[in-house]
């Protein structure tokens, strides 16, 4: 197909792009800034831009880096790119798309540091794990604060993020905030000791690496950045370094800047035009998401902005839709009316529960009436926002029982209600009531209380190996195996209990780093404080995207709704001190001088609240209801400033609590419009063992037990990779010398006590010496180590890392390393090698051999990779993918039960009664 014809297909199929979208896709300027309003088809524009670069401009996939704000957005875009490239006949390019990076900035920084910075054996703490670790080590950081210790840790973390995000110079910080600077350096030393990275430090280290090694990413010729209005100054600096010498294409909408409180700076978007020469700015006005009345209302509301004045969105959809304003007497009446309308729409078959979003400024303050009312009406719902998890009765039940383990145990639903605590035996009493309120159809066992008392004694006696084992024992006592995963309400409960499992593992991970010895009483005291001072206000419920196939109303914060859409959207509680938040403009607690950074940005402004309202309104596709109430707890409640600015409310149809929401035809999402999902080879293998185990662990988050031996295999892999790099870099260095050097420099296990680590390291070194002696020639044939691979397979993408690629002339051998702690069967290992062989062959590699090396036994076994054997594995993998996408999670009890982490809570496990 000729290039001109191919380009026209890209621009017109499956639907023609608007003129401004075409301009963005075809613009060849090196620096392009696209202002894309809400519902403007931004993802489709970016998708076709990438496809055009690949198929028309012949840009190699490895030369393209594309940043999205979330992993979900990356998956959506990646799915579209794969589909379009495949549909347009670019099969050779499609096979190589794994060489293109499409994901988050943090993910790319980690990849950069692993591949080029020497951080291959480092772990990454997410924000919850980091707080748990900070609460553990903060005593040694010598904070200077009059506030409580947990509050001081949170304040330190917030200041730390400012320093990293604003790139505050260390020398200036040391001079102007010496106490904080000392604490910061001590904290970085503590992280280094246990070889852990944090999100913000990751970006800082990546910037340092690129400044010192500017040619590292010389192969990157095209950088695409989505949601550019939400980046911070450190991310801006990183983007400049990555895009140096190439083209940079950014997309954003400053009207939707809603993350200033964590450092986002819309000024980066405005200043892009001054940083680079001859920048082309393109505005995409067309809103394809929302009905006409919603677009007009949103435009009128945007006119109230003080700092952002961009072209109005243009109406595309002909349907009028509906916009309504409801005023109620109190928050209870508001929640009841909204629940009534949901029930009417559902009962009339106009939509599904998942087609409805209830968006709140704060779930913590405004969510309880809706949670209570939806539960009372048996309307399935999922709670978002950082307090969503602990608003669930089932989570409060297990949270109270875990707190009950502490000799100073207490529980409060959020960290602000310190006087409203439950203590002592009341924890057991109320926890049992909460559990049976959540699952009334499961009657309590006659001996439930006695078993719980025995469970507590077993925990404190050290009868369990880890928190996971302790937790699964508790769930067994409560009757978890009787829950039906195919029941909608039970599935939400099971998913949330899986999220609690993740919370326990977050704390245990942080508490066990460096091989810290376990003391169950001390650990339970610490866990109790972590739950009450942090987790109850920081952990989200499993969101709808994580609970695949669960049809439930989405009750979430506006921040969490960014990038999502619903046919029917409610925005309740638009009242004074709720929306806008009462915290707006309140001076924060800073450990660094306020004049060193833009403190007001972090503390919130009315403009940021307007941005939030704009984002909320533009989530609606067909019908939008904004509501408020006039009294709270029998006290008059003032009107929101948002409602009194301008005259936009006058354009909404007024409703009273006696009215019904008018009937609107809703534009429901086609059920067959499924995105390509990405699966690792390991995930497919886990599904093959038992689909129900896969559902529990991979979808709902039930965790494996933490062991001090965790990381042994990774440490061996990393040392072998480093040895391979030494052999390539140092002429004349033999495999034995390289392995010994790598082991001395790099071997580390994050949870192993230091004294025992020396013994483990000595034994591991002896094992690798034996392996190298017997397979020295193989070490000299290494071409690549831990090579990333990604390739399309049926209606999915398979990803993974090939442990080692050996070369024999132009032909290669695919080899997997297995340490002694592996539980993979020979068939599972063969499946992995054959899948990787398929992926490498699809990009033109001449894969002649496959093998698996058992490092501990110094043994190598061949794996057949004939066309027939590889195709058989491909067929099996496609069946597994179809099962996951089709939500077929039938249990397969048998021999696999012995090695299943959540076997104790599985009703189908071998031997279960």
């Amino acid at each position: 197909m000729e290039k001109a014809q191919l380009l026209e297909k890209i621009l017109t199929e499956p639907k023609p792009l608007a003129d401004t979208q075409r301009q963005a896709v075809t613009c060849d300027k090196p620096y392009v800034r696209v202002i894309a309003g809400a519902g403007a088809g931004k993802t489709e524009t970016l998708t076709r831009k990438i496809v055009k670069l690949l198929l028309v401009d012949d840009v190699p996939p490895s030369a393209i880096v594309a940043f999205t704000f979330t992993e979900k957005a990356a998956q959506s875009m990646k799915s579209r790119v794969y589909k379009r490239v495949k549909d347009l006949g670019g099969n050779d390019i499609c096979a190589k798309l794994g060489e293109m990076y499409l994901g988050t900035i943090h993910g790319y920084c980690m990849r950069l540091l692993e591949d080029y910075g020497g951080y291959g054996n480092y772990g990454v703490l997410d924000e919850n794990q980091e707080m748990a670790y900070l609460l553990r080590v903060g005593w040694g950081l010598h904070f200077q604060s009059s506030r409580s210790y947990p509050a001081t840790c949170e304040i330190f973390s917030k200041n730390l993020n400012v320093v990293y995000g604003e790139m505050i110079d260390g020398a200036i910080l040391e001079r102007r905030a010496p106490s904080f600077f000392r604490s910061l350096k001590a904290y970085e030393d503590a992280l280094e000791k246990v070889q852990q990275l944090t999100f913000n430090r990751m970006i800082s280290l990546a910037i340092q690496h690129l400044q010192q090694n500017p040619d590292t990413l010389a192969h990157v010729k095209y950088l695409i950045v989505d949601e550019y209005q939400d980046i911070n100054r450190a991310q801006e600096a990183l983007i400049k370094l990555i895009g140096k010498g190439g083209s940079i294409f950014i997309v954003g909408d400053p009207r939707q800047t809603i993350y200033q409180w964590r450092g986002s700076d819309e000024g980066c978007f405005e200043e892009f035009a001054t940083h680079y020469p001859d920048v082309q700015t393109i505005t995409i006005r067309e809103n394809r998401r929302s009905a006409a009345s919603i677009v007009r209302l949103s435009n009128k509301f945007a006119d109230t902005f003080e700092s952002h004045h961009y072209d109005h969105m243009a109406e595309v959809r002909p349907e009028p839709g509906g916009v309504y304003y409801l005023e109620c007497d109190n928050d209870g009446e508001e929640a009841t009316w909204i629940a009534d309308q949901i029930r009417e729409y559902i009962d009339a078959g106009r939509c599904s529960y998942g087609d409805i979003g209830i968006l709140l400024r704060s779930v913590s303050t405004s969510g309880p009436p809706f949670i209570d009312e939806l539960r009372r009406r048996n309307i399935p719902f999922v709670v978002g926002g950082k307090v969503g998890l602990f608003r669930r009765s089932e989570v409060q039940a297990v949270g109270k029982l875990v707190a009950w383990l502490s000799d100073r145990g207490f529980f409060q639903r959020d960290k602000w209600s310190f006087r409203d605590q439950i203590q002592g035996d009341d924890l057991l009493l109320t926890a049992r009531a909460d559990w049976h309120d959540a699952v009334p159809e499961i009657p309590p066992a006659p001996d439930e209380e006695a078993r719980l008392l025995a469970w507590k004694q077993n925990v404190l006696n050290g009868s369990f190996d880890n928190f996971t084992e302790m937790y699964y024992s508790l769930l067994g006592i409560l009757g978890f195996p009787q829950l039906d995963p195919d029941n909608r309400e039970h599935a939400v409960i099971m998913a949330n209990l899986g999220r609690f499992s993740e919370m326990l593992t977050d704390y245990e991970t942080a508490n066990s780093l460096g091989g810290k010895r376990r003391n169950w009483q001390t650990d339970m005291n610490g866990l109790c404080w972590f739950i009450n001072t942090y987790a109850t206000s920081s952990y989200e419920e499993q969101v709808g995207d994580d609970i695949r196939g669960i049809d439930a109303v989405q009750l979430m914060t506006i921040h969490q709704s960014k990038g999502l859409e619903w046919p029917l959207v409610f925005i309740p509680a638009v009242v004074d001190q709720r929306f806008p938040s009462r915290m707006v403009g309140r001076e924060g607690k800073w450990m660094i001088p306020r004049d060193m950074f833009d403190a007001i940005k972090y503390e919130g402004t009315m403009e940021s609240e307007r941005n939030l309202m704009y984002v909320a309104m533009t989530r609606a596709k067909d019908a939008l209801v904004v509501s408020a109430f006039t009294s709270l707890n029998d006290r008059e409640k003032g009107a929101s400033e948002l409602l009194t600015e301008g005259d936009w409310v006058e354009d909404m149809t007024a409703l009273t609590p006696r009215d019904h929401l008018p009937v609107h035809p809703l534009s429901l999402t086609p059920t067959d419009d499924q995105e390509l999902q990405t699966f690792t080879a390991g995930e497919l293998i886990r599904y093959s063992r038992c689909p129900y185990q896969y559902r529990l662990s991979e979808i709902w988050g039930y965790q494996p037990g933490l062991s001090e031996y965790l990381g042994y295999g990774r440490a061996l892999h990393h040392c072998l990779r480093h040895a391979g790099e030494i052999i390539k870099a140092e002429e004349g260095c033999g495999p034995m010398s390289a392995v010994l050097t790598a082991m001395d420099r790099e071997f580390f296990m994050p949870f192993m006590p230091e004294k025992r680590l020396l013994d483990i390291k000595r034994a591991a070194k002896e094992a690798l010496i034996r392996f190298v002696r017997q397979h020295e020639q193989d070490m000299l044939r290494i071409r690549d180590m831990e090579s990333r691979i990604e390739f399309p397979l049926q209606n999915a993408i398979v990803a993974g890392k090939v442990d080692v690629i050996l070369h024999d002339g132009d032909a290669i051998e695919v080899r997997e390393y297995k340490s002694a702690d592996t539980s993979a069967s020979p068939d599972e290992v063969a499946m992995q090698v054959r899948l990787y062989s398929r992926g490498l062959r699809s990009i033109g590699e001449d894969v002649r051999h496959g093998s698996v090396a058992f490092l501990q036994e110094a043994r190598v076994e061949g794996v057949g990779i004939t066309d027939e054997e590889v195709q058989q594995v491909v067929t099996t993998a496609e069946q597994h993918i179809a099962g996951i996408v089709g939500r077929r999670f039938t249990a397969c009890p048998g021999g696999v039960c012995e090695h299943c982490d959540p076997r104790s809570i599985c009703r189908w496990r071998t031997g279960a009664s």
Side-chain angles (χ1 to χ4, degrees), residues 162-184:
V162 169
V163 170
Y164 283 130
E166 303 290 340
M167 299 183 69
I168 295 177
D169 183 83
I172 298 175
L173 187 67
E174 184 177 16
R175 186 176 70 251
R176 299 203 58 199
S179 176
F180 176 80
F181 181 78
R182 286 193 295 271
S183 297
L184 184 155

Side-chain angles (χ1 to χ4, degrees), residues 191-210:
L191 289 168
E192 277 297 312
K193 187 175 181 181
V194 294
Q195 295 195 11
Q196 297 294 310
L197 297 173
T198 62
F199 285 166
N200 284 313
R201 187 159 178 255
M202 211 186 297
I203 292 177
S204 178
L205 291 170
I207 290 172
Q208 291 176 29
H209 176 83
L210 291 177

Side-chain angles (χ1 to χ4, degrees), residues 250-400:
I250 71 165
V251 181
D253 181 8
R255 290 166 292 192
Q256 299 186 69
T257 306
I258 60 174
Y259 294 103
Q260 299 96 326
W261 52 276
R262 65 185 189 194
S264 296
D265 193 335
E266 66 266 37
C268 297
F269 190 86
E270 297 298 323
E271 295 163 16
F272 184 84
T274 63
H275 287 320
Y276 302 98
D278 195 23
V279 171
Q280 175 76 45
T281 296
I282 300 167
T283 300
I284 304 176
R285 297 179 52 233
E286 295 80 7
N287 182 306
R288 293 164 178 77
R289 172 189 299 149
S290 303
S293 60
I294 298 171
V295 174
R296 288 195 296 269
L297 185 74
S298 301
N299 283 334
K300 196 166 186 179
F301 178 77
D303 290 338
T304 67
F305 290 175
E306 294 178 355
S307 58
H308 307 309
H309 294 289
Y310 294 96
D311 292 342
H312 277 182
M313 296 181 292
E315 302 165 23
V316 173
R317 291 181 53 195
E319 301 88 354
V323 290
Y324 302 93
Y325 176 68
L326 169 74
E327 188 171 277
C328 298
D329 288 340
N330 53 63
D331 57 346
E333 185 177 56
E334 180 183 50
T336 299
W337 185 88
I338 289 175
D340 284 340
Q341 311 318 303
I342 292 172
R343 177 57 66 198
E344 286 185 16
Y345 261 65
I346 294 297
D347 290 347
R350 298 188 186 110
C351 65
S352 300
Y353 292 111
D355 295 315
I356 301 169
I358 302 176
L359 310 184
L360 301 169
R361 176 61 179 87
S362 166
V363 170
S364 175
T365 55
S366 301
F370 293 95
I371 293 170
D372 293 341
E373 186 64 21
L374 294 175
R375 288 193 63 199
R376 187 181 69 81
R377 305 285 288 274
N378 291 320
I379 294 174
F381 65 99
V382 175
V383 182
K386 287 193 169 184
V387 297
L389 184 66
F390 282 85
R391 291 290 173 183
R392 285 289 187 177
S393 295
E394 64 273 12
V395 173
Q396 288 187 37
V398 293
K400 290 174 181 177

Side-chain angles (χ1 to χ4, degrees), residues 726-794:
I726 293 173
I727 292 170
K728 287 183 177 181
E730 299 179 16
E731 188 175 349
C733 181
M736 186 63 71
S737 175
V739 165
L740 293 175
T741 300
M743 287 292 293
D744 290 338
R745 289 179 184 171
E746 302 290 328
F747 188 85
F748 180 75
M749 295 171 63
F751 306 109
M752 185 63 67
E754 190 171 352
K755 291 183 179 180
R756 294 192 60 195
L757 180 60
L758 295 175
D759 294 334
I760 297 292
K761 181 176 180 177
R762 190 179 304 111
K765 184 184 290 188
E766 291 173 357
L768 289 190
I769 288 172
R770 289 194 303 272
F771 180 81
V772 172
R773 279 176 180 160
Q774 296 189 38
H775 305 284
E776 184 172 9
Q777 291 304 308
D778 286 350
M779 296 291 292
L780 296 172
R781 293 196 298 125
I782 292 176
R783 192 190 79 177
D784 296 300
M785 295 283 296
E786 296 191 10
S787 178
R788 291 183 181 84
I789 187 170
E790 185 178 292
F791 59 96
L793 196 65
Q794 199 183 32

Side-chain angles (χ1 to χ4, degrees), residues 417-679:
S417 59
F418 196 79
R419 294 181 179 179
D420 184 23
Q421 288 188 358
I422 301 171
Q423 300 176 342
D425 289 338
D426 285 344
L427 289 167
L428 174 61
L429 181 67
T430 58
R432 293 182 66 198
D434 285 338
W435 177 260
H436 295 295
D437 179 53
V439 284
E441 58 271 38
I442 299 179
D447 60 346
E448 181 182 80
E449 183 173 359
R451 292 177 66 191
L452 287 171
L453 289 167
W455 169 76
K456 179 177 182 177
Q457 197 61 46
N458 287 335
V459 172
L460 299 180
N461 288 340
S463 299
F464 298 107
D465 290 335
N466 49 61
F467 285 16
T468 295
E469 191 176 300
M470 169 195 79
Y471 180 53
Y472 291 168
S473 175
L474 171 62
L475 293 183
I477 293 170
L478 294 175
F480 178 94
Q482 298 179 58
L483 293 172
D484 179 4
D486 295 321
N487 175 292
R488 186 166 49 206
E489 286 79 10
H490 285 191
V492 172
I493 290 170
M494 296 171 81
N496 288 323
L497 293 172
R499 184 78 171 117
F500 190 88
S501 173
E502 292 175 330
M503 185 276 294
L504 289 177
T505 299
D506 285 346
Y507 180 80
E508 186 177 22
T509 295
N511 201 48
S512 303
L513 286 168
K516 179 176 173 290
R517 296 180 65 88
R518 188 184 302 281
N519 179 308
W520 279 95
Q521 185 61 75
T522 301
D523 290 348
M524 291 304 102
N525 289 340
L527 177 59
C528 176
W529 275 92
F530 178 69
I531 289 174
N532 284 286
T533 62
Y534 179 75
T536 54
S537 60
S538 299
Y539 275 82
E540 299 175 358
E541 186 175 0
Q542 287 278 26
V543 296
D545 292 318
D546 295 333
I547 310 173
R548 300 177 195 173
I550 299 300
D551 182 24
V553 172
Q554 309 289 297
L555 175 67
M556 63 175 62
T557 65
I558 300 169
H559 285 100
Q560 195 179 32
S561 75
K562 182 75 177 291
L564 303 178
E565 60 183 33
W566 294 267
L568 174 56
V569 168
F570 296 94
I571 309 176
V574 186
V575 296
D576 184 41
Q577 296 196 347
R578 288 283 183 89
F579 195 4
S581 167
R582 63 185 177 86
M583 302 299 292
V584 169
R586 183 175 297 184
E587 189 169 311
K589 305 295 181 181
W590 301 110
M591 296 178 170
I592 54 181
R594 289 172 58 86
D595 62 356
M596 293 184 70
F597 64 103
D598 182 5
I600 293 175
K601 176 181 71 175
Y602 289 87
E603 292 163 351
T605 63
M606 267 304 298
E607 189 74 344
S608 63
E609 296 294 297
R610 295 184 191 102
N611 291 348
L612 266 178
M613 174 58 89
Y614 182 80
V615 166
M617 294 165 67
T618 54
R619 299 311 95 197
K621 296 169 67 176
D622 303 295
L624 170 68
V625 181
V626 177
S627 59
F629 44 84
T630 57
S631 67
L632 181 65
N633 298 325
D634 296 325
R635 293 182 179 180
E636 185 176 341
K637 194 66 180 171
S640 168
E641 191 175 334
L642 295 170
L643 297 175
T644 58
E645 292 180 330
D647 58 355
W648 64 278
V649 175
E650 296 175 6
D651 288 5
M652 307 178 78
T653 301
L655 297 174
T656 72
R658 295 183 299 277
D659 296 322
H660 296 270
L661 181 65
V663 175
H664 287 279
L666 302 183
S667 49
L668 311 182
T669 303
T671 56
D672 58 350
D673 185 24
Q674 291 193 347
E675 294 180 353
L676 297 181
Q677 296 181 30
T678 299
F679 302 98

Side-chain angles (χ1 to χ4, degrees), residues 74-91:
Q75 188 61 44
S76 175
M77 196 181 302
K78 184 182 294 185
S79 173
R80 297 191 196 195
V81 170
Y82 269 89
K83 284 182 177 179
R84 293 296 290 143
V85 170
K86 184 178 180 181
D87 291 344
L88 292 169
N91 293 326

